Amino acid sequence: MNEKRELLELFKDVALRVDKRALPHVTRESKISELGIDSLSVMQIVGELETELDILIPDEDLVEIVTVGDLCDRVAERLRKDQ
């Protein structure tokens, strides 16, 4: 499994824990605003990802995130920077 696929699956797992519903059809191209996840839950998802992966995604980076793939890319960037 490659990193992009792993991060997508991790997003789905964390979103399930935070938002209490499965998102089986989410792809990297899915717009977060169209998933029915409110902004508070999005912040909780980001926080869970940060805790689980021991990274910090700056707030200014979050403004640019539109799709699930954008978020996964930001997470991947932080993982590479923190190595």
Side-chain angles (χ1 to χ4, degrees):
M1 188 179 286
N2 68 35
E3 180 181 67
K4 289 183 177 183
R5 180 86 179 131
E6 289 175 3
L7 289 174
L8 177 61
E9 293 304 315
L10 180 58
F11 171 85
K12 290 179 185 179
D13 290 346
V14 172
L16 175 62
R17 282 196 313 255
V18 170
D19 208 44
K20 310 294 185 221
R21 61 187 172 97
L23 301 169
H25 303 296
V26 169
T27 67
R28 289 182 48 82
E29 292 73 31
S30 298
K31 291 184 178 180
I32 293 174
S33 63
E34 296 175 352
L35 297 177
I37 302 172
D38 64 33
S39 58
L40 179 59
S41 292
V42 171
M43 295 305 296
Q44 289 177 314
I45 291 167
V46 170
E48 291 275 332
L49 290 170
E50 289 176 329
T51 300
E52 191 157 327
L53 299 170
D54 195 26
I55 59 172
L56 178 63
I57 300 173
D59 290 343
E60 58 268 17
D61 286 4
L62 298 178
V63 179
E64 300 170 1
I65 294 172
V66 176
T67 66
V68 173
D70 293 339
L71 177 56
C72 291
D73 290 344
R74 288 289 190 266
V75 168
E77 287 172 20
R78 297 312 302 182
L79 286 169
R80 282 190 285 276
K81 286 182 180 179
D82 292 346
Q83 287 181 346

